[in-house]
Amino acid sequence: GIQVEQSPPDLILQEGANSTLRCNFSDSVNNLQWFHQNPWGQLINLFYIPSGTKQNGRLSATTVATERYSLLYISSSQTTDSGVYFCAVWLSGQNFVFGPGTRLSVLP
Amino acid sequence: GAVVSQHPSRVICKSGTSVKIECRSLDFQATTMFWYRQFPKKSLMLMATSNEGSKATYEQGVEKDKFLINHASLTLSTLTVTSAHPEDSSFYICSARDIYRQGLIDTQYFGPGTRLTVL
C-alpha cells in the first residue's frame, strides 16, 4: 500500500518564526490534504491540495505530484499554531492514508 | 457546512461494560462513515468503514465482535465497544464522506473525537 512519511517529526519554534513541513508519499495519488489536530483532538482541514500551490493567510501549501511530495509553510507562527500536522493521501473512492504527523510547539 | 458531531466527547467506564459512541453528519448525507482510533502521540489508524444499510468492513486486526458498528441512516453511525477493557482506552474519531459532492472534492469530514477511558 501507499506509504506516507512526514518530516520533521517534532518541531519547536519561537513565536514569529517560519517553518516548512514536508510530506512524502510512495505512490501516485490524486488527492492530498493537510490537517491540523489541535490540542483537544479536533482535526481541522487546512488544504485540499492534490497539486499546485494554495495560500490561506499565514499558511500556504505546495504539492508536486510528479515528485510525490507536498510542503506546508507556516509563516509568523503563533502559539495557537501548536498541535500536530498530518498529511493524508488517497486515490479517489479509497481510504485515506495518514502520515505519522509533525508535532509543532510554538513558544511565546 | 460539512459538520460532523460525536457524542459523548469523553467517557469513563468500568472494565466489562459496553460503551456506545455516536457519529452524526449534521448538514449533509453520508453513505460512508469511517471509524479511526488514535493512540497518544500516534497517527490515526482506520478501524472500519461503515456503509449505510450494510455491514461494516473492518481493517485487518480489528475485532468485529469487540467493536460493533451500525450505520442505520445516512446521518448516523454508532460504534459500540463491547466488554471494554483498559487496553481499549483510546481516542476514537469518526469521519463522513459527503456523497453529493461528487465532481468536487472527494474528502472526509472529521468529528471532534471521543476519549474513552476504561478503568
Side-chain angles (χ1 to χ4, degrees), chain A residues 33 35 37 40-43 45 48 86 90 92-96 98-100 103, chain B residues 34 36 38 41 43-44 46 49 59 91 93 97 105-112:
Chain A
Q33 193 150 353
F35 295 90
Q37 187 172 38
W40 297 271
Q42 173 74 65
L43 275 169
N45 293 349
Y48 171 78
F86 291 105
W90 69 102
S92 291
Q94 297 193 10
N95 294 331
F96 278 27
F98 279 88
R103 185 172 301 274
Chain B
F34 304 85
Y36 294 85
Q38 187 179 29
K41 298 190 177 183
S43 188
L44 280 73
L46 180 66
T49 302
E59 295 299 300
F91 192 58
I93 304 173
R97 179 173 265 152
I105 297 174
D106 170 29
T107 189
Q108 297 174 25
Y109 300 93
F110 288 82

Side-chain angles (χ1 to χ4, degrees), chain A residues 60-106:
Chain A
S60 63
T62 296
T63 297
V64 183
T66 53
E67 296 187 22
R68 301 178 185 169
Y69 74 89
S70 183
L71 302 174
L72 177 69
Y73 305 96
I74 304 174
S75 64
S76 303
S77 58
Q78 301 176 356
T79 55
T80 52
D81 295 331
S82 296
V84 184
Y85 290 81
F86 291 105
C87 73
V89 301
W90 69 102
L91 292 168
S92 291
Q94 297 193 10
N95 294 331
F96 278 27
V97 179
F98 279 88
T102 291
R103 185 172 301 274
L104 174 65
S105 298
V106 181

Side-chain angles (χ1 to χ4, degrees), chain A residues 2-4 25-33 49-51 63 65-66 68 88-92 97:
Chain A
I2 300 172
Q3 304 294 317
V4 181
F25 42 97
S26 61
D27 295 295
S28 296
V29 296
N30 49 8
N31 298 281
L32 185 146
Q33 193 150 353
I49 184 163
S51 65
T63 297
T66 53
R68 301 178 185 169
V89 301
W90 69 102
L91 292 168
S92 291
V97 179

Side-chain angles (χ1 to χ4, degrees), chain B residues 17-21 35-39 45-50 55-71 77-93 116 118:
Chain B
T17 61
S18 295
V19 175
K20 180 185 284 188
I21 302 169
W35 287 95
Y36 294 85
R37 183 173 182 176
Q38 187 179 29
F39 290 105
M45 180 186 74
L46 180 66
M47 298 174 65
T49 302
S50 166
K55 290 184 178 180
T57 302
Y58 291 82
E59 295 299 300
Q60 192 172 9
V62 178
E63 300 175 58
K64 60 179 67 175
D65 294 331
K66 158 70 78 176
F67 300 100
L68 299 179
I69 292 171
N70 182 274
H71 192 164
S77 176
T78 60
L79 167 68
T80 301
V81 183
T82 62
S83 187
H85 290 285
E87 58 265 30
D88 299 324
S89 298
S90 193
F91 192 58
Y92 293 88
I93 304 173
L116 171 63
V118 184

